[in-house]
Amino acid sequence: MATRGTRKKTADKPHYHHGDLRRALLDASLTLISEEGFGALTLREVARRAGVTHAAPYRHFADKEALLEAVAEEGFRVMTARMKERMARESTPNRRLMACGVAYVLFAMEHPAHFRVMFGPHFTRPPKLGPPGGDTDSFGLLVDSIAEGQRTGEMREGEPRMLALTCWSLVHGLGSLLVDRKLEFSGVTTIPQAEALAWEQTRLLIQGLERATGN
């Protein structure tokens, strides 16, 4: 009887059983943020949801902020990959810049928990996103697209980073409004509708960035 009781107690106890503990913790964090918001996020609760001991998260993350940094870094990596994928389908700098912005907005819609972590107010130290031009450099894609458009004569003159900031402000604002459901009054509630809106908004933006021809 004592042996059976010991076995049951052991079986009920959370333990480190994941083949990829880090992945399990990230997934649990994203689910928790989606369901209950940042206020509910603690390493203890993340561990509970992942089915591991309370001490297990410290194998990978020194504290809650380190966990959020990892979520943000993953988000930037996925978003940058989506932007590159969409840009590769286009043949002109202007269209590539538009595709870049559309991918940004769709990432926000499809990964709202990542998006909120990436740009939230909870960091005392910025996430480690790697060098410029790396797989997390989404802003660099905007800058490069504008610089390319200037070289080909399609876009107006100006410091590329400042013009890129204008582009980022528009798509980030649009993404934030969609994630927070502030545009439902206009009938934009689905991802296809958000994509159509993003194309229209980026088209209007590009018109303002295009180099004027004639007088």
Side-chain angles (χ1 to χ4, degrees), residues 168-196:
W168 182 28
S169 298
L170 182 139
V171 295
H172 183 78
L174 181 57
S176 297
L177 289 170
L178 289 166
V179 166
D180 292 336
R181 300 185 175 183
K182 301 299 185 183
L183 295 181
E184 290 187 353
F185 72 91
S186 64
V188 180
T189 59
T190 67
I191 288 179
Q193 289 170 337
E195 180 175 3

PDB file of all heavy atoms in Angstrom, residues 168-196:
ATOM      1  N   TRP A 168       6.861  53.149 -40.668  1.00  0.00           N
ATOM      2  CA  TRP A 168       6.664  52.325 -39.477  1.00  0.00           C
ATOM      3  C   TRP A 168       5.513  52.861 -38.630  1.00  0.00           C
ATOM      4  O   TRP A 168       4.685  52.108 -38.119  1.00  0.00           O
ATOM      5  CB  TRP A 168       7.966  52.277 -38.674  1.00  0.00           C
ATOM      6  CG  TRP A 168       7.892  51.412 -37.448  1.00  0.00           C
ATOM      7  CD1 TRP A 168       7.086  50.321 -37.254  1.00  0.00           C
ATOM      8  CD2 TRP A 168       8.659  51.565 -36.255  1.00  0.00           C
ATOM      9  NE1 TRP A 168       7.306  49.778 -36.010  1.00  0.00           N
ATOM     10  CE2 TRP A 168       8.261  50.516 -35.376  1.00  0.00           C
ATOM     11  CE3 TRP A 168       9.643  52.466 -35.849  1.00  0.00           C
ATOM     12  CZ2 TRP A 168       8.821  50.371 -34.112  1.00  0.00           C
ATOM     13  CZ3 TRP A 168      10.203  52.313 -34.586  1.00  0.00           C
ATOM     14  CH2 TRP A 168       9.799  51.274 -33.737  1.00  0.00           C
ATOM     15  N   SER A 169       5.461  54.174 -38.489  1.00  0.00           N
ATOM     16  CA  SER A 169       4.412  54.784 -37.681  1.00  0.00           C
ATOM     17  C   SER A 169       3.035  54.424 -38.223  1.00  0.00           C
ATOM     18  O   SER A 169       2.108  54.122 -37.457  1.00  0.00           O
ATOM     19  CB  SER A 169       4.577  56.306 -37.649  1.00  0.00           C
ATOM     20  OG  SER A 169       5.805  56.675 -37.057  1.00  0.00           O
ATOM     21  N   LEU A 170       2.895  54.445 -39.545  1.00  0.00           N
ATOM     22  CA  LEU A 170       1.593  54.133 -40.129  1.00  0.00           C
ATOM     23  C   LEU A 170       1.214  52.677 -39.902  1.00  0.00           C
ATOM     24  O   LEU A 170       0.123  52.378 -39.403  1.00  0.00           O
ATOM     25  CB  LEU A 170       1.590  54.446 -41.625  1.00  0.00           C
ATOM     26  CG  LEU A 170       0.235  54.188 -42.313  1.00  0.00           C
ATOM     27  CD1 LEU A 170      -0.087  55.288 -43.297  1.00  0.00           C
ATOM     28  CD2 LEU A 170       0.222  52.830 -43.028  1.00  0.00           C
ATOM     29  N   VAL A 171       2.094  51.750 -40.258  1.00  0.00           N
ATOM     30  CA  VAL A 171       1.716  50.331 -40.163  1.00  0.00           C
ATOM     31  C   VAL A 171       1.618  49.880 -38.708  1.00  0.00           C
ATOM     32  O   VAL A 171       0.783  49.034 -38.371  1.00  0.00           O
ATOM     33  CB  VAL A 171       2.686  49.436 -40.966  1.00  0.00           C
ATOM     34  CG1 VAL A 171       2.574  49.756 -42.457  1.00  0.00           C
ATOM     35  CG2 VAL A 171       4.121  49.555 -40.488  1.00  0.00           C
ATOM     36  N   HIS A 172       2.451  50.456 -37.840  1.00  0.00           N
ATOM     37  CA  HIS A 172       2.350  50.080 -36.436  1.00  0.00           C
ATOM     38  C   HIS A 172       1.045  50.599 -35.841  1.00  0.00           C
ATOM     39  O   HIS A 172       0.367  49.899 -35.072  1.00  0.00           O
ATOM     40  CB  HIS A 172       3.532  50.625 -35.629  1.00  0.00           C
ATOM     41  CG  HIS A 172       3.496  50.199 -34.198  1.00  0.00           C
ATOM     42  ND1 HIS A 172       3.880  48.936 -33.796  1.00  0.00           N
ATOM     43  CD2 HIS A 172       3.092  50.849 -33.077  1.00  0.00           C
ATOM     44  CE1 HIS A 172       3.720  48.829 -32.485  1.00  0.00           C
ATOM     45  NE2 HIS A 172       3.240  49.975 -32.027  1.00  0.00           N
ATOM     46  N   GLY A 173       0.695  51.832 -36.181  1.00  0.00           N
ATOM     47  CA  GLY A 173      -0.572  52.374 -35.708  1.00  0.00           C
ATOM     48  C   GLY A 173      -1.757  51.564 -36.202  1.00  0.00           C
ATOM     49  O   GLY A 173      -2.682  51.263 -35.434  1.00  0.00           O
ATOM     50  N   LEU A 174      -1.718  51.186 -37.460  1.00  0.00           N
ATOM     51  CA  LEU A 174      -2.809  50.392 -38.024  1.00  0.00           C
ATOM     52  C   LEU A 174      -2.865  49.018 -37.358  1.00  0.00           C
ATOM     53  O   LEU A 174      -3.950  48.536 -36.995  1.00  0.00           O
ATOM     54  CB  LEU A 174      -2.615  50.245 -39.537  1.00  0.00           C
ATOM     55  CG  LEU A 174      -3.687  49.452 -40.292  1.00  0.00           C
ATOM     56  CD1 LEU A 174      -5.066  50.052 -40.071  1.00  0.00           C
ATOM     57  CD2 LEU A 174      -3.350  49.395 -41.778  1.00  0.00           C
ATOM     58  N   GLY A 175      -1.703  48.401 -37.189  1.00  0.00           N
ATOM     59  CA  GLY A 175      -1.666  47.098 -36.531  1.00  0.00           C
ATOM     60  C   GLY A 175      -2.205  47.170 -35.110  1.00  0.00           C
ATOM     61  O   GLY A 175      -2.971  46.296 -34.671  1.00  0.00           O
ATOM     62  N   SER A 176      -1.829  48.204 -34.382  1.00  0.00           N
ATOM     63  CA  SER A 176      -2.282  48.362 -32.998  1.00  0.00           C
ATOM     64  C   SER A 176      -3.792  48.564 -32.934  1.00  0.00           C
ATOM     65  O   SER A 176      -4.475  47.992 -32.069  1.00  0.00           O
ATOM     66  CB  SER A 176      -1.569  49.551 -32.345  1.00  0.00           C
ATOM     67  OG  SER A 176      -0.171  49.324 -32.273  1.00  0.00           O
ATOM     68  N   LEU A 177      -4.331  49.375 -33.834  1.00  0.00           N
ATOM     69  CA  LEU A 177      -5.772  49.603 -33.865  1.00  0.00           C
ATOM     70  C   LEU A 177      -6.531  48.310 -34.152  1.00  0.00           C
ATOM     71  O   LEU A 177      -7.586  48.043 -33.556  1.00  0.00           O
ATOM     72  CB  LEU A 177      -6.112  50.653 -34.919  1.00  0.00           C
ATOM     73  CG  LEU A 177      -5.699  52.090 -34.597  1.00  0.00           C
ATOM     74  CD1 LEU A 177      -5.871  52.975 -35.823  1.00  0.00           C
ATOM     75  CD2 LEU A 177      -6.524  52.644 -33.434  1.00  0.00           C
ATOM     76  N   LEU A 178      -5.993  47.507 -35.043  1.00  0.00           N
ATOM     77  CA  LEU A 178      -6.639  46.243 -35.379  1.00  0.00           C
ATOM     78  C   LEU A 178      -6.555  45.251 -34.223  1.00  0.00           C
ATOM     79  O   LEU A 178      -7.543  44.584 -33.891  1.00  0.00           O
ATOM     80  CB  LEU A 178      -6.009  45.650 -36.641  1.00  0.00           C
ATOM     81  CG  LEU A 178      -6.335  46.395 -37.945  1.00  0.00           C
ATOM     82  CD1 LEU A 178      -5.414  45.941 -39.063  1.00  0.00           C
ATOM     83  CD2 LEU A 178      -7.795  46.168 -38.338  1.00  0.00           C
ATOM     84  N   VAL A 179      -5.397  45.152 -33.605  1.00  0.00           N
ATOM     85  CA  VAL A 179      -5.225  44.220 -32.490  1.00  0.00           C
ATOM     86  C   VAL A 179      -6.143  44.596 -31.330  1.00  0.00           C
ATOM     87  O   VAL A 179      -6.728  43.731 -30.666  1.00  0.00           O
ATOM     88  CB  VAL A 179      -3.753  44.198 -32.030  1.00  0.00           C
ATOM     89  CG1 VAL A 179      -3.604  43.506 -30.679  1.00  0.00           C
ATOM     90  CG2 VAL A 179      -2.896  43.477 -33.074  1.00  0.00           C
ATOM     91  N   ASP A 180      -6.287  45.881 -31.086  1.00  0.00           N
ATOM     92  CA  ASP A 180      -7.149  46.355 -29.990  1.00  0.00           C
ATOM     93  C   ASP A 180      -8.610  46.497 -30.405  1.00  0.00           C
ATOM     94  O   ASP A 180      -9.426  47.000 -29.638  1.00  0.00           O
ATOM     95  CB  ASP A 180      -6.631  47.700 -29.472  1.00  0.00           C
ATOM     96  CG  ASP A 180      -5.291  47.574 -28.773  1.00  0.00           C
ATOM     97  OD1 ASP A 180      -4.985  46.471 -28.286  1.00  0.00           O
ATOM     98  OD2 ASP A 180      -4.550  48.572 -28.725  1.00  0.00           O
ATOM     99  N   ARG A 181      -8.926  46.062 -31.623  1.00  0.00           N
ATOM    100  CA  ARG A 181     -10.295  46.051 -32.131  1.00  0.00           C
ATOM    101  C   ARG A 181     -10.937  47.445 -32.130  1.00  0.00           C
ATOM    102  O   ARG A 181     -12.118  47.602 -31.814  1.00  0.00           O
ATOM    103  CB  ARG A 181     -11.150  45.062 -31.330  1.00  0.00           C
ATOM    104  CG  ARG A 181     -10.631  43.636 -31.413  1.00  0.00           C
ATOM    105  CD  ARG A 181     -11.551  42.669 -30.723  1.00  0.00           C
ATOM    106  NE  ARG A 181     -11.088  41.296 -30.914  1.00  0.00           N
ATOM    107  CZ  ARG A 181     -11.727  40.206 -30.466  1.00  0.00           C
ATOM    108  NH1 ARG A 181     -12.860  40.352 -29.801  1.00  0.00           N
ATOM    109  NH2 ARG A 181     -11.242  39.001 -30.668  1.00  0.00           N
ATOM    110  N   LYS A 182     -10.157  48.416 -32.508  1.00  0.00           N
ATOM    111  CA  LYS A 182     -10.657  49.788 -32.563  1.00  0.00           C
ATOM    112  C   LYS A 182     -11.257  50.134 -33.920  1.00  0.00           C
ATOM    113  O   LYS A 182     -11.798  51.231 -34.084  1.00  0.00           O
ATOM    114  CB  LYS A 182      -9.524  50.766 -32.253  1.00  0.00           C
ATOM    115  CG  LYS A 182      -8.873  50.569 -30.889  1.00  0.00           C
ATOM    116  CD  LYS A 182      -9.863  50.763 -29.752  1.00  0.00           C
ATOM    117  CE  LYS A 182      -9.165  50.693 -28.403  1.00  0.00           C
ATOM    118  NZ  LYS A 182     -10.134  50.810 -27.279  1.00  0.00           N
ATOM    119  N   LEU A 183     -11.128  49.231 -34.887  1.00  0.00           N
ATOM    120  CA  LEU A 183     -11.636  49.520 -36.226  1.00  0.00           C
ATOM    121  C   LEU A 183     -12.843  48.668 -36.589  1.00  0.00           C
ATOM    122  O   LEU A 183     -13.265  48.657 -37.747  1.00  0.00           O
ATOM    123  CB  LEU A 183     -10.527  49.309 -37.269  1.00  0.00           C
ATOM    124  CG  LEU A 183      -9.327  50.259 -37.171  1.00  0.00           C
ATOM    125  CD1 LEU A 183      -8.316  49.954 -38.264  1.00  0.00           C
ATOM    126  CD2 LEU A 183      -9.770  51.715 -37.265  1.00  0.00           C
ATOM    127  N   GLU A 184     -13.390  47.954 -35.611  1.00  0.00           N
ATOM    128  CA  GLU A 184     -14.532  47.097 -35.915  1.00  0.00           C
ATOM    129  C   GLU A 184     -15.741  47.904 -36.370  1.00  0.00           C
ATOM    130  O   GLU A 184     -16.586  47.415 -37.112  1.00  0.00           O
ATOM    131  CB  GLU A 184     -14.878  46.248 -34.699  1.00  0.00           C
ATOM    132  CG  GLU A 184     -13.829  45.180 -34.416  1.00  0.00           C
ATOM    133  CD  GLU A 184     -14.230  44.224 -33.308  1.00  0.00           C
ATOM    134  OE1 GLU A 184     -15.275  44.479 -32.667  1.00  0.00           O
ATOM    135  OE2 GLU A 184     -13.515  43.234 -33.099  1.00  0.00           O
ATOM    136  N   PHE A 185     -15.829  49.166 -35.930  1.00  0.00           N
ATOM    137  CA  PHE A 185     -16.944  50.025 -36.348  1.00  0.00           C
ATOM    138  C   PHE A 185     -16.957  50.215 -37.861  1.00  0.00           C
ATOM    139  O   PHE A 185     -18.002  50.487 -38.462  1.00  0.00           O
ATOM    140  CB  PHE A 185     -16.853  51.391 -35.660  1.00  0.00           C
ATOM    141  CG  PHE A 185     -15.752  52.266 -36.167  1.00  0.00           C
ATOM    142  CD1 PHE A 185     -15.974  53.165 -37.204  1.00  0.00           C
ATOM    143  CD2 PHE A 185     -14.470  52.165 -35.644  1.00  0.00           C
ATOM    144  CE1 PHE A 185     -14.948  53.966 -37.681  1.00  0.00           C
ATOM    145  CE2 PHE A 185     -13.441  52.959 -36.114  1.00  0.00           C
ATOM    146  CZ  PHE A 185     -13.678  53.868 -37.137  1.00  0.00           C
ATOM    147  N   SER A 186     -15.776  50.092 -38.484  1.00  0.00           N
ATOM    148  CA  SER A 186     -15.670  50.287 -39.929  1.00  0.00           C
ATOM    149  C   SER A 186     -15.874  48.985 -40.704  1.00  0.00           C
ATOM    150  O   SER A 186     -15.762  48.975 -41.926  1.00  0.00           O
ATOM    151  CB  SER A 186     -14.309  50.883 -40.277  1.00  0.00           C
ATOM    152  OG  SER A 186     -13.271  49.979 -39.934  1.00  0.00           O
ATOM    153  N   GLY A 187     -16.153  47.906 -39.972  1.00  0.00           N
ATOM    154  CA  GLY A 187     -16.408  46.624 -40.624  1.00  0.00           C
ATOM    155  C   GLY A 187     -15.178  45.778 -40.860  1.00  0.00           C
ATOM    156  O   GLY A 187     -15.265  44.721 -41.494  1.00  0.00           O
ATOM    157  N   VAL A 188     -14.028  46.208 -40.361  1.00  0.00           N
ATOM    158  CA  VAL A 188     -12.795  45.431 -40.520  1.00  0.00           C
ATOM    159  C   VAL A 188     -12.650  44.506 -39.323  1.00  0.00           C
ATOM    160  O   VAL A 188     -12.252  44.927 -38.235  1.00  0.00           O
ATOM    161  CB  VAL A 188     -11.567  46.353 -40.645  1.00  0.00           C
ATOM    162  CG1 VAL A 188     -10.295  45.521 -40.810  1.00  0.00           C
ATOM    163  CG2 VAL A 188     -11.727  47.299 -41.817  1.00  0.00           C
ATOM    164  N   THR A 189     -12.993  43.242 -39.518  1.00  0.00           N
ATOM    165  CA  THR A 189     -12.957  42.278 -38.420  1.00  0.00           C
ATOM    166  C   THR A 189     -12.191  41.008 -38.757  1.00  0.00           C
ATOM    167  O   THR A 189     -11.829  40.253 -37.858  1.00  0.00           O
ATOM    168  CB  THR A 189     -14.382  41.884 -38.006  1.00  0.00           C
ATOM    169  OG1 THR A 189     -15.066  41.318 -39.142  1.00  0.00           O
ATOM    170  CG2 THR A 189     -15.158  43.084 -37.489  1.00  0.00           C
ATOM    171  N   THR A 190     -11.924  40.762 -40.035  1.00  0.00           N
ATOM    172  CA  THR A 190     -11.254  39.540 -40.439  1.00  0.00           C
ATOM    173  C   THR A 190      -9.864  39.854 -41.002  1.00  0.00           C
ATOM    174  O   THR A 190      -9.567  41.002 -41.363  1.00  0.00           O
ATOM    175  CB  THR A 190     -12.062  38.795 -41.525  1.00  0.00           C
ATOM    176  OG1 THR A 190     -12.064  39.584 -42.735  1.00  0.00           O
ATOM    177  CG2 THR A 190     -13.488  38.566 -41.058  1.00  0.00           C
ATOM    178  N   ILE A 191      -9.043  38.834 -41.092  1.00  0.00           N
ATOM    179  CA  ILE A 191      -7.691  39.014 -41.628  1.00  0.00           C
ATOM    180  C   ILE A 191      -7.721  39.434 -43.103  1.00  0.00           C
ATOM    181  O   ILE A 191      -6.978  40.340 -43.504  1.00  0.00           O
ATOM    182  CB  ILE A 191      -6.848  37.750 -41.402  1.00  0.00           C
ATOM    183  CG1 ILE A 191      -6.503  37.638 -39.911  1.00  0.00           C
ATOM    184  CG2 ILE A 191      -5.578  37.773 -42.250  1.00  0.00           C
ATOM    185  CD1 ILE A 191      -5.702  36.430 -39.527  1.00  0.00           C
ATOM    186  N   PRO A 192      -8.566  38.835 -43.965  1.00  0.00           N
ATOM    187  CA  PRO A 192      -8.635  39.332 -45.352  1.00  0.00           C
ATOM    188  C   PRO A 192      -9.040  40.800 -45.431  1.00  0.00           C
ATOM    189  O   PRO A 192      -8.519  41.555 -46.258  1.00  0.00           O
ATOM    190  CB  PRO A 192      -9.684  38.421 -45.995  1.00  0.00           C
ATOM    191  CG  PRO A 192      -9.606  37.149 -45.219  1.00  0.00           C
ATOM    192  CD  PRO A 192      -9.341  37.581 -43.803  1.00  0.00           C
ATOM    193  N   GLN A 193      -9.967  41.231 -44.587  1.00  0.00           N
ATOM    194  CA  GLN A 193     -10.354  42.638 -44.574  1.00  0.00           C
ATOM    195  C   GLN A 193      -9.207  43.521 -44.101  1.00  0.00           C
ATOM    196  O   GLN A 193      -8.983  44.605 -44.640  1.00  0.00           O
ATOM    197  CB  GLN A 193     -11.568  42.828 -43.661  1.00  0.00           C
ATOM    198  CG  GLN A 193     -12.853  42.241 -44.221  1.00  0.00           C
ATOM    199  CD  GLN A 193     -13.974  42.231 -43.201  1.00  0.00           C
ATOM    200  OE1 GLN A 193     -13.735  42.245 -41.998  1.00  0.00           O
ATOM    201  NE2 GLN A 193     -15.213  42.198 -43.678  1.00  0.00           N
ATOM    202  N   ALA A 194      -8.467  43.039 -43.103  1.00  0.00           N
ATOM    203  CA  ALA A 194      -7.310  43.790 -42.613  1.00  0.00           C
ATOM    204  C   ALA A 194      -6.232  43.879 -43.684  1.00  0.00           C
ATOM    205  O   ALA A 194      -5.577  44.922 -43.837  1.00  0.00           O
ATOM    206  CB  ALA A 194      -6.749  43.128 -41.353  1.00  0.00           C
ATOM    207  N   GLU A 195      -6.060  42.809 -44.451  1.00  0.00           N
ATOM    208  CA  GLU A 195      -5.061  42.824 -45.524  1.00  0.00           C
ATOM    209  C   GLU A 195      -5.435  43.843 -46.595  1.00  0.00           C
ATOM    210  O   GLU A 195      -4.589  44.612 -47.063  1.00  0.00           O
ATOM    211  CB  GLU A 195      -4.929  41.436 -46.135  1.00  0.00           C
ATOM    212  CG  GLU A 195      -3.895  41.374 -47.253  1.00  0.00           C
ATOM    213  CD  GLU A 195      -3.671  39.973 -47.769  1.00  0.00           C
ATOM    214  OE1 GLU A 195      -4.355  39.041 -47.299  1.00  0.00           O
ATOM    215  OE2 GLU A 195      -2.801  39.806 -48.647  1.00  0.00           O
ATOM    216  N   ALA A 196      -6.706  43.860 -46.963  1.00  0.00           N
ATOM    217  CA  ALA A 196      -7.152  44.828 -47.971  1.00  0.00           C
ATOM    218  C   ALA A 196      -6.958  46.259 -47.472  1.00  0.00           C
ATOM    219  O   ALA A 196      -6.508  47.139 -48.222  1.00  0.00           O
ATOM    220  CB  ALA A 196      -8.624  44.579 -48.312  1.00  0.00           C
TER     221      ALA A 196
END
